[in-house]
Amino acid sequence: MKWGVVCLPLILAVGGCASVSEINETLPTMSVISGKKPHEYAQCLADKLANSRGALQMQPHKEGVRVIVPGKFSTGAAAVFDIEDRSGGSSIKLHERMSNVPIRPRDVQNAANACISG
């Protein structure tokens, strides 16, 4: 059997589609505070994820920015960052579609951590 015949259906099944509201209903996989303002943090994410995820959607949200990260293998959202302004920086919550899958791609988590300080 060819690799594509076995793995492609598995990738599509795991990838699935989820709406932003469905992703936001999951528990956050990260909840941190950064010294960067919301737009600075969002731009850092866009720079870090440009090669692996393509263009991120940035929307005004409450007192900050909501960043929607597209999936690697699908057009639907894979993760949502809610970045809110606070004195001296921002508070960040990351919600991921496949938060309970241990083998999910770590590029989003790595970018989130790399953008916290600096």
Side-chain angles (χ1 to χ4, degrees), residues 51-68:
N51 292 334
S52 64
R53 297 292 176 139
L56 308 181
Q57 291 181 30
M58 296 187 198
Q59 305 170 342
H61 177 71
K62 295 183 183 176
E63 298 294 322
V65 179
R66 173 173 278 169
V67 178
I68 302 168

Side-chain angles (χ1 to χ4, degrees), residues 9-78:
L10 179 62
I11 289 170
L12 293 175
V14 171
C17 286
S19 69
V20 171
S21 60
E22 289 172 336
I23 293 172
N24 267 350
E25 290 176 11
T26 64
L27 293 174
T29 55
M30 174 187 237
S31 184
V32 295
I33 296 172
S34 172
K36 294 180 179 178
K37 289 294 183 185
H39 289 287
E40 292 174 314
Y41 188 85
Q43 187 57 52
C44 180
L45 286 174
D47 294 342
K48 298 276 185 204
L49 293 171
N51 292 334
S52 64
R53 297 292 176 139
L56 308 181
Q57 291 181 30
M58 296 187 198
Q59 305 170 342
H61 177 71
K62 295 183 183 176
E63 298 294 322
V65 179
R66 173 173 278 169
V67 178
I68 302 168
V69 181
K72 277 188 173 248
F73 306 111
S74 69
T75 58

